[in-house]
Amino acid sequence: MAIEPPKDAAETTVAWHSYGTDSYGVEATELASGGDRLLWIDICGLRDHAQIAEVAASCGLSDLAIADLFHVDQRAHTDSDGDLVLTVLRMPVAGPPFEADQITLVLGPGFVLTIREGPRDCLGSVRKRLAGGTGRIRASSGYLFYALIDAIVDTYFPILERYGDLVEGLEERILASPGGDAMRDIHLLKRELLDIRHALWPMREALAALQRDDTPQIDEPLLPFLRDCSDHAFQLLDMVEVYRETAQGLVDLQLSSLSNRMNEVMKVLTMIATIFIPMTFIAGLYGMNFDRASPYNLPELGWRFGYVYAIGLMVVSASTMLFVFWRLGWIFGKKRRSRSDD
């Protein structure tokens, strides 16, 4: 079967972690497992497909399973290949913005094989625990398999916490100033949360498949740990759903804030126009060119104080309108409320 690495594949490196209850070592050349020695074969990058295929074949993977290793757009799932179990997950490597690489974990008798898409990973804590020899991580390859999955799942928590801070920041920004690029940022946030959901949703099924009775290499003592991983995956999905609903609420908040802002502007413009309506009427009234010889045709036009009278009438009308608006609480409302509170 022809195997083609993905475009722009990272350079391939292989690290052979040999460990036991009382020893640990890392080599760049092939090591053999046997006796009390266990192996973690960590492959990074998919460029050298021949070397990857050779290592995978030596671990007992079938040709079809080896070909699937180079498909980097797979959904999270768990399959069995003879007496081997393969789990494909989306491993978060950055966020926000959210980025995730594909990782394939293969559990076999006495070894764990991991094939990572790129050099970035979240497995540093597992390497430290393996080197330090603390806990049960050196006890069996099955526990190392669980520890790797647990590290991947737990990495989503700090990323989602940062998204929670981002949601709160957007909410404060919208309340302070609803304009600008807030709507664009909300849509970007919703898109990234959807990507995280697409990475987490099939992970539930992949973890549930590991807990079935017919799954090879999974012993009974390992099931409680895998169930704990499943619980964490459900918690992550709940967090994502909450943030998505909050992001949708931010859209409504943005539209409502813009609408309220527009209403405030329209109210100010309407009050200004209302104030000038009687002033315009007075100016138009005294601007009519009637014959002043008649005592009924605007006698004020011939009066010495007619101009001052017209201006004063305009000021009085405007002041009356402002007083009415103030009494209704349409203007200077905050100032009036603060005084009443005092």
Side-chain angles (χ1 to χ4, degrees), residues 1-5 49 63 67 70-71:
M1 180 179 296
I3 299 176
E4 293 184 3
H49 59 282
D63 294 340
F70 298 91
H71 297 161

Side-chain angles (χ1 to χ4, degrees), residues 108-326:
F111 73 89
V112 175
L113 171 65
T114 55
I115 300 97
R116 296 182 283 118
E117 182 181 347
R120 296 179 297 175
D121 65 25
C122 57
L123 308 179
S125 60
V126 178
R127 297 186 183 96
K128 291 180 180 179
R129 290 173 56 194
L130 195 61
T134 57
R136 309 179 184 178
I137 196 164
R138 290 189 184 178
S140 66
S141 57
Y143 192 88
L144 174 62
F145 181 77
Y146 148 75
L148 293 170
I149 295 176
D150 185 61
I152 294 170
V153 174
D154 287 347
T155 304
Y156 281 93
F157 281 101
I159 290 178
L160 284 178
E161 288 176 1
R162 289 195 288 270
Y163 275 99
D165 296 338
L166 185 60
V167 169
E168 293 179 2
L170 273 173
E171 184 177 9
E172 294 176 359
R173 191 169 120 203
I174 291 172
L175 291 174
S177 178
D181 299 330
M183 187 64 76
R184 183 198 64 184
D185 294 340
I186 293 173
H187 283 295
L188 290 176
L189 173 64
K190 291 177 62 178
R191 183 182 304 173
E192 292 183 19
L193 289 173
L194 184 61
D195 292 339
I196 297 176
R197 185 178 184 274
H198 287 164
L200 289 173
W201 188 265
M203 185 185 291
R204 303 175 312 148
E205 301 174 2
L207 296 177
L210 290 172
Q211 303 170 45
R212 295 172 186 163
D213 296 336
D214 58 345
T215 304
Q217 307 298 331
I218 302 297
D219 299 328
E220 185 71 23
L222 199 60
L223 294 180
F225 300 103
L226 293 174
R227 281 194 289 269
D228 183 65
C229 279
S230 296
D231 293 340
H232 289 176
F234 277 101
Q235 292 177 20
L236 290 168
L237 277 172
D238 290 340
M239 292 175 64
V240 171
E241 292 300 328
V242 169
Y243 291 153
R244 290 185 67 208
E245 292 177 2
T246 306
Q248 181 59 43
L250 291 180
V251 175
D252 300 334
L253 178 62
Q254 167 79 350
L255 296 177
S256 176
S257 299
L258 290 175
S259 178
N260 291 338
R261 188 175 182 182
M262 181 62 68
N263 290 339
E264 290 294 327
V265 172
M266 293 302 298
K267 184 176 74 172
V268 172
L269 294 178
T270 302
M271 286 190 295
I272 293 174
T274 304
I275 291 172
F276 276 90
I277 285 175
M279 299 172 64
T280 305
F281 169 76
I282 296 172
L285 179 66
Y286 285 100
M288 293 186 294
N289 296 319
F290 287 114
D291 185 7
R292 287 186 294 168
S294 172
Y296 304 105
N297 291 341
L298 299 177
E300 296 89 347
L301 295 178
W303 187 26
R304 180 178 182 183
F305 302 102
Y307 174 73
V308 177
Y309 171 76
I311 294 296
L313 195 59
M314 294 181 187
V315 172
V316 170
S317 65
S319 301
T320 303
M321 298 294 292
L322 288 172
F323 177 76
V324 171
F325 292 155
W326 176 73

